[in-house]
Amino acid sequence: MTVTSPTGLPYERVAIIGSGLIGTSLAHAVRVRDPECLLQFADTDPQAVEVLGELFPDSLATTDPAQAVRDADLVMLCVPVGAVGVVSGQIAKHVKPGATVSDVGSVKRSVMGAMRDAFGPDVHVIAGHPVAGSEQSGPRAGFAEMFENRYVILTPGEDFNIEALQDLTRFWRRLGAMVEVMEAEHHDLVLAITSHLPHLIAYTIVGTADDLESVTKQEVMKYSAGGFRDFTRIAASDPVMWRDVFLNNKQAVLEVLGRFSEDLSALQRAIRWEDGDKLEDWFARTRAVRQGIVELGQDTDEVDFGRRSAAPVPKPYGDD
Amino acid sequence: MTVTSPTGLPYERVAIIGSGLIGTSLAHAVRVRDPECLLQFADTDPQAVEVLGELFPDSLATTDPAQAVRDADLVMLCVPVGAVGVVSGQIAKHVKPGATVSDVGSVKRSVMGAMRDAFGPDVHVIAGHPVAGSEQSGPRAGFAEMFENRYVILTPGEDFNIEALQDLTRFWRRLGAMVEVMEAEHHDLVLAITSHLPHLIAYTIVGTADDLESVTKQEVMKYSAGGFRDFTRIAASDPVMWRDVFLNNKQAVLEVLGRFSEDLSALQRAIRWEDGDKLEDWFARTRAVRQGIVELGQDTDEVDFGRRSAAPVPKPYGDD
């Protein structure tokens, strides 16, 4: 039931458990949209709680999640997906009946299972995933525009409450996002290819480069503008969050990884046997995918992500 | 021998064969640095020659490379590496004695061999590679700042002329680049890991995603902000150029690809056996590499490549 003004959010009190990049971005976005909405934070790390007090001085911040969820209309679990079960257990008895519990994790089937096990029928459990982020992490990394023009996938399961789903949809839309609803299993397969496999590959190649004996680390960094540097951004993402993603989406990741490995072997063979036509054909068809992404507003159309203008000022010219 | 003013370039007449991204960027950079320097272009494509006439109205542009190299002090081959041998054969008899012939290709051993076979001892052959680029191609894609604060690797071989190397070094430095000299074989190994393998992997995964039956193309594009979109930029690079790179650097690419595949298998196994410690350890050490790249000025330190500010304006808020 929507209780607030047309410009406000459908919740008067939002609890955010976990103060990483997404949790704090959510808090900033809520603050910008509705200064009246009460925010209640919990984080296991006392230092993070201190930072939260600094960033959101008018809000509750505590190390005790049970305290943070008290009277909240919406409880957002913004912790690594492997921690959702434990945190749900800690707060289950303290969540207000009729409240909605959701999350922001990159895996939905295991999270949905963990939340359903913990909460009774008087709480609306709707898992969610904003497909947004950056390579930074921690409470100071968040920013209010994080979800603008980004997709949020909700996986309400089978016996969801329609009003609760409508309110959660409205909430995300008012933070600038586009909302889609799908099955948790399908979400996990889609994200395995659009997010999890790209991260696994980026982590792998950055490690491979770092391990080479014949090429120095300095050389890897100096000549990284040939393509490698792009992978290092993704491979700078939060290690614990990503460990949990792979442990919790094992099946789908192994499935798309198998397909990728097959394709890579085929291209490897084309290189070995100097099959130029096969290589050129493969390389020519991938341009269209990028064009589609740019048209959907999911990436900038600027050359080189617009980094050209962001290049550091070079040393004075003519220096011999 | 340097003949020009302190602010000018060490060549009075520069021939640029091939008018793609790098060839035209080179021309723009030369124009900006030294409006007096004569530019002479050749491209096999008459349409490209027309564009060159439009972009550089005070220069010679022709489909005949033999005509373009006449009297040039520096001849830069800016063609796919597989075409260097043919083009060298076409111009060999027409290059001025004492001139320097160089190139910009991403592979150096095969290019160096092809150029040495074509040119006599009265021409200075010094292969080169500016580690710079973008996902765009064609004569209109070039821009003058392309080489600013980027590394250029020169591979002069064993019996090079010291003055010719000094002049070419000075030339690149005056276009804003940092110059390094190394063995062609070592260049090819370094670039195999910092550029060629990243491109191969990006091309592979974008194709893999495009082929999946269980995930629609629309879904791949909509949810690409989870990491995939970054790979599509690299996989939008010029197909012919990259086909030639892989055919001409087979050995080094297969070597680093072997190492990558081993590492990927190890991480695949860690996922299958749920070895969280191994995953977390691997993911934690790759952050330092990115930090080093940013410190060397080879990537922006802005979050998400600075794309945050480039995000399209979202649809109006509050839209239910």
Side-chain angles (χ1 to χ4, degrees):
Chain A
M1 193 178 65
T2 308
V3 290
T4 54
S5 70
T7 55
L9 301 171
Y11 308 109
E12 293 181 336
R13 200 181 283 258
V14 174
I16 296 175
I17 314 301
S19 61
L21 172 70
I22 300 296
T24 54
S25 290
L26 192 60
H28 286 296
V30 167
R31 258 294 146 274
V32 167
R33 281 305 293 154
D34 186 353
E36 305 284 298
C37 183
L38 296 170
L39 289 172
Q40 304 180 165
F41 297 95
D43 198 291
T44 48
D45 176 5
Q47 285 190 301
V49 171
E50 210 168 299
V51 174
L52 288 167
E54 197 187 299
L55 294 172
F56 305 97
D58 54 347
S59 303
L60 169 75
T62 164
T63 54
D64 177 15
Q67 196 191 338
V69 301
R70 200 161 296 159
D71 296 324
D73 308 302
L74 172 68
V75 175
M76 291 293 272
L77 307 183
C78 303
V79 298
V81 290
V84 166
V86 173
V87 173
S88 296
Q90 288 169 337
I91 63 172
K93 286 182 184 158
H94 308 274
V95 174
K96 183 172 79 172
T100 293
V101 178
S102 189
D103 80 310
V104 296
S106 205
V107 182
K108 295 274 66 79
R109 199 174 61 100
S110 67
V111 157
M112 203 60 192
M115 294 201 299
R116 275 170 185 276
D117 287 349
F119 297 101
D122 57 340
V123 165
H124 308 304
V125 170
I126 301 173
H129 176 208
V131 186
S134 92
E135 69 277 23
Q136 300 204 339
S137 39
R140 294 194 192 278
F143 54 94
E145 305 80 19
M146 170 66 83
F147 312 107
E148 287 182 8
N149 211 35
R150 291 283 163 263
Y151 286 94
V152 172
I153 299 171
L154 299 181
T155 61
E158 281 176 17
D159 50 347
F160 62 91
N161 177 290
I162 184 73
E163 277 197 1
L165 180 61
Q166 282 170 344
D167 279 351
L168 190 58
T169 299
R170 196 169 290 128
F171 173 77
W172 277 114
R173 285 186 176 159
R174 289 193 173 160
L175 302 186
M178 298 167 289
V179 178
E180 302 276 347
V181 174
M182 64 174 73
E183 297 282 339
E185 285 73 12
H186 189 62
H187 166 279
D188 289 357
L189 186 61
V190 172
L191 270 290
I193 185 69
T194 63
S195 177
H196 308 169
L197 183 58
H199 276 80
L200 186 68
I201 288 168
Y203 277 124
T204 303
I205 192 175
V206 176
T208 302
D210 202 41
D211 282 345
L212 288 178
E213 306 82 14
S214 45
V215 179
T216 68
K217 292 187 203 318
Q218 192 71 8
E219 286 174 324
V220 166
M221 296 190 289
K222 276 165 85 170
Y223 309 120
S224 62
F228 182 75
R229 62 178 178 162
D230 285 18
F231 292 70
T232 65
R233 188 188 74 81
I234 293 182
S237 302
D238 186 63
V240 171
M241 175 197 150
W242 282 98
R243 175 201 68 192
D244 279 11
V245 167
F246 294 113
L247 295 179
N248 283 278
N249 199 21
K250 191 168 103 167
Q251 201 183 334
V253 168
L254 291 178
E255 186 178 327
V256 296
L257 178 53
R259 294 288 289 254
F260 169 81
S261 296
E262 265 179 46
D263 292 338
L264 187 60
S265 293
L267 290 178
Q268 181 173 15
R269 195 167 186 282
I271 293 171
R272 192 179 299 284
W273 296 99
E274 300 179 10
D275 185 348
D277 289 343
K278 190 186 174 78
L279 293 174
E280 192 183 340
D281 285 351
W282 187 283
F283 298 168
R285 76 189 175 106
T286 49
R287 275 193 168 177
V289 180
R290 175 149 192 88
Q291 194 49 43
I293 288 170
V294 169
E295 280 164 16
L296 275 169
Q298 295 310 298
D299 207 343
T300 174
D301 63 352
E302 285 188 83
V303 175
D304 198 21
F305 301 131
R307 274 183 294 194
R308 182 176 147 189
S309 54
V313 177
K315 58 176 177 29
Y317 291 108
D319 178 12
D320 295 338
Chain B
M1 192 178 65
T2 308
V3 289
T4 54
S5 70
T7 55
L9 300 172
Y11 308 109
E12 292 181 337
R13 201 181 282 260
V14 174
I16 295 176
I17 314 301
S19 62
L21 172 70
I22 299 296
T24 53
S25 290
L26 192 60
H28 286 296
V30 166
R31 260 293 146 276
V32 166
R33 280 307 289 155
D34 186 354
E36 305 284 299
C37 183
L38 296 171
L39 289 173
Q40 303 180 165
F41 297 95
D43 199 290
T44 49
D45 177 5
Q47 285 191 301
V49 171
E50 209 168 299
V51 175
L52 288 168
E54 195 186 301
L55 295 173
F56 305 97
D58 54 348
S59 304
L60 169 75
T62 165
T63 54
D64 178 15
Q67 195 192 339
V69 302
R70 201 161 296 160
D71 294 325
D73 308 303
L74 173 67
V75 176
M76 291 295 270
L77 306 183
C78 304
V79 298
V81 290
V84 166
V86 174
V87 173
S88 296
Q90 289 169 338
I91 62 173
K93 286 183 185 158
H94 307 273
V95 174
K96 183 173 80 172
T100 294
V101 178
S102 189
D103 79 309
V104 297
S106 205
V107 181
K108 294 276 67 78
R109 199 173 61 99
S110 67
V111 158
M112 202 61 194
M115 294 202 299
R116 274 169 186 277
D117 287 348
F119 297 101
D122 58 339
V123 165
H124 306 305
V125 170
I126 302 174
H129 176 210
V131 185
S134 90
E135 70 276 24
Q136 300 205 340
S137 39
R140 294 194 192 277
F143 54 93
E145 306 79 18
M146 171 67 84
F147 311 108
E148 288 182 8
N149 211 35
R150 291 284 163 263
Y151 286 94
V152 172
I153 299 172
L154 299 181
T155 60
E158 281 177 15
D159 50 347
F160 62 90
N161 177 290
I162 184 73
E163 275 196 4
L165 180 62
Q166 281 171 345
D167 278 351
L168 190 58
T169 300
R170 196 170 289 128
F171 173 77
W172 277 114
R173 284 187 178 158
R174 289 193 173 159
L175 302 186
M178 298 167 289
V179 177
E180 302 275 347
V181 174
M182 64 173 76
E183 297 281 341
E185 286 74 12
H186 189 61
H187 166 279
D188 290 357
L189 185 62
V190 171
L191 270 290
I193 186 70
T194 63
S195 177
H196 307 170
L197 183 59
H199 276 80
L200 185 69
I201 289 169
Y203 277 124
T204 304
I205 192 174
V206 176
T208 303
D210 203 41
D211 282 345
L212 287 179
E213 306 83 13
S214 45
V215 178
T216 67
K217 292 188 204 314
Q218 191 71 8
E219 285 174 325
V220 166
M221 297 189 288
K222 276 165 85 169
Y223 309 120
S224 62
F228 182 74
R229 62 177 178 162
D230 286 19
F231 292 70
T232 65
R233 187 187 76 81
I234 293 182
S237 302
D238 186 63
V240 172
M241 174 196 151
W242 281 98
R243 176 200 67 191
D244 279 10
V245 167
F246 293 114
L247 295 179
N248 284 276
N249 198 23
K250 190 169 105 167
Q251 201 182 336
V253 168
L254 292 178
E255 187 178 326
V256 297
L257 178 53
R259 294 287 291 252
F260 170 80
S261 295
E262 265 180 45
D263 292 339
L264 187 59
S265 292
L267 290 179
Q268 182 173 15
R269 195 167 187 280
I271 293 170
R272 194 179 297 284
W273 296 99
E274 299 179 10
D275 185 348
D277 289 344
K278 189 186 176 78
L279 294 173
E280 191 183 341
D281 285 351
W282 187 284
F283 299 167
R285 75 190 175 107
T286 48
R287 275 192 168 177
V289 180
R290 174 147 193 90
Q291 194 49 41
I293 288 170
V294 169
E295 280 164 16
L296 276 168
Q298 296 309 299
D299 207 345
T300 173
D301 63 351
E302 284 188 84
V303 175
D304 198 22
F305 302 132
R307 273 182 294 193
R308 184 177 146 187
S309 53
V313 178
K315 58 175 177 30
Y317 291 107
D319 177 12
D320 295 336

